[in-house]
């Protein structure tokens, strides 16, 4: 069995008991890493938030195996990286090692690693996906929000939204969560500028020491949103 463990969004304590047990039982834990180029653009080092979470949970770092995921914009390169990882994962499995592949947040929620899960599944290799806390749920909890209540509807958008879409969905009464906020900065700024009366809950680096929570539209409009940020927008409650 190859287990895909959801790590939660950053706070190591937000993993499930089941996920932690899978990590503890693993012989090898494959963790996604991103490349950091040096000033000369030559030497490359790797950074892995996933590996940091795994180590913070007291797992032996020797069991961690980093794999490089190219920028998400380069889909073909990412696919090749996952194809290569599939080979390594299967090799480890043939040696009868307990294999875990980790994902940040939930492994089935905007998670590119799911491509590997689908590939193994299609090849009839036994895989299991262990649920985890997605970033927007952790963000809501960090700010004490009741994200949706009663008959409200939630819409999750992945950063491809236009300003028009955002505004009309919120006006219709939906609570909108925008993931990958860095990909739709202009649309969000237009929404902020034309509808300062909406309620905005902006979160950055939830569950880490760099966590940031901003609700003021004037402050938000001047900001630039990094990759690890998301925004929840809702209409103000109507007065009875
Ligand atoms: N599988 C993840 C989502 C990965 S997509 C999950 O379940 O949450 C990557 C996007 O998730 C980022 O662009 C950002 O919008 C959001 N995200 C992930 N971790 C985050 C964090 N710690 N703080 C804020 N946003 C985060």
């Amino acid at each position: 069995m190859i287990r895909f463990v959801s790590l939660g969004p950053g706070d190591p304590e937000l993993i499930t008991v089941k996920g932690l047990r899978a990590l503890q039982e693993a012989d090898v834990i494959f963790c996604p890493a991103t490349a950091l180029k040096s000033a000369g653009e030559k030497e490359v080092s790797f950074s892995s938030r996933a590996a940091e979470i795994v180590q913070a949970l007291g797992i032996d770092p020797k069991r961690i195996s980093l794999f490089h995921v190219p920028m998400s914009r380069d889909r073909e390169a990412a696919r090749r990286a996952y194809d290569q990882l599939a080979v390594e994962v299967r090799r480890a499995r043939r040696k009868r090692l307990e294999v875990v592949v980790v994902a940040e947040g939930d492994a089935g929620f905007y998670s590119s690693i799911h491509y590997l899960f689908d590939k193994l599944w299609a090849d009839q290799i036994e895989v299991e996906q262990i649920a985890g806390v997605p970033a927007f749920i952790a963000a809501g909890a960090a700010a004490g929000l009741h994200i949706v209540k009663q008959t409200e509807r939630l819409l999750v958008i992945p950063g491809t939204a236009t300003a028009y879409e955002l505004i009309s969905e919120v006006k219709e009464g939906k609570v909108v969560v925008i993931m990958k906020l860095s990909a739709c900065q202009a649309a969000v700024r237009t929404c902020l500028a034309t509808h300062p009366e909406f309620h905005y809950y902006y979160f950055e680096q939830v569950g880490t020491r760099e966590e940031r929570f901003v609700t003021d539209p004037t402050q938000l409009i001047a900001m630039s949103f990094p990759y690890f940020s998301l925004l929840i927008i809702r209409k103000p409650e109507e007065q009875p």
Side-chain angles (χ1 to χ4, degrees):
M1 177 77 77
I2 295 168
R3 290 192 274 189
F4 283 67
V5 173
S6 304
L7 294 176
D11 177 350
E13 293 194 337
L14 285 183
I15 193 171
T16 61
V17 175
K18 189 168 184 172
L20 178 59
R21 191 167 299 144
L23 290 179
Q24 288 165 342
E25 288 168 3
D27 298 306
V28 55
I29 301 165
F30 290 96
C31 293
T34 44
L36 304 167
K37 286 207 174 83
S38 69
E41 295 276 307
K42 266 199 172 156
E43 268 171 56
V44 177
S45 63
F46 291 96
S47 114
S48 172
R49 274 165 55 111
E52 282 169 24
I53 298 172
V54 171
Q55 287 189 53
L57 289 165
I59 306 294
D60 182 354
K62 286 202 284 293
R63 287 194 251 153
I64 296 176
S65 172
L66 297 185
F67 63 92
H68 175 222
V69 189
M71 289 298 290
S72 54
R73 266 165 295 174
D74 189 352
R75 285 181 179 272
E76 183 53 32
R79 202 181 56 76
R80 278 199 305 273
Y82 287 128
D83 288 345
Q84 176 56 36
L85 181 59
V87 173
E88 283 183 48
V89 163
R90 294 177 73 156
R91 191 179 298 142
R93 198 56 207 138
R94 272 198 300 276
K95 289 189 207 153
R96 305 212 168 272
L97 298 177
E98 282 301 326
V99 178
V100 160
V101 181
V102 300
E104 289 170 50
D106 179 78
F109 194 75
Y110 293 121
S111 191
S112 63
I113 194 78
H114 213 278
Y115 169 81
L116 176 65
F117 181 97
D118 293 336
K119 192 176 160 66
L120 296 168
W121 178 280
D123 290 344
Q124 281 159 20
I125 296 184
E126 261 193 288
V127 276
E128 182 189 10
Q129 181 175 334
I130 299 177
V133 180
F136 80 94
I137 293 291
L145 295 184
H146 192 174
I147 300 177
V148 270
K149 53 179 175 285
Q150 295 171 4
T151 56
E152 284 176 348
R153 292 177 181 198
L154 182 73
L155 177 67
V156 183
I157 303 185
T160 52
T162 63
Y164 175 79
E165 278 172 317
L166 289 180
I167 293 164
S168 41
E169 296 288 7
V170 176
K171 274 191 175 164
E172 253 181 41
K174 286 192 195 125
V175 177
V176 174
V177 174
I178 313 172
M179 313 280 296
K180 307 184 187 180
L181 204 55
S182 51
C184 63
Q185 315 237 5
V188 170
R189 278 196 205 101
T190 306
C191 182
L192 284 158
T194 54
H195 292 280
E197 77 285 6
F198 288 173
H199 290 175
Y200 297 91
Y201 306 93
Y202 168 83
F203 302 89
E204 200 173 297
Q205 302 272 10
V206 170
T208 71
R209 274 191 300 273
E210 291 81 40
E211 182 171 303
R212 218 174 149 195
F213 174 46
V214 180
T215 56
D216 176 15
T218 325
Q219 198 183 336
L220 283 172
I221 213 164
M223 285 170 55
S224 130
F225 310 123
Y227 180 73
F228 282 109
S229 67
L230 62 89
L231 182 65
I232 303 178
I233 315 178
R234 64 184 308 141
K235 216 164 59 160
E237 316 240 343
E238 268 144 33
Q239 300 305 324

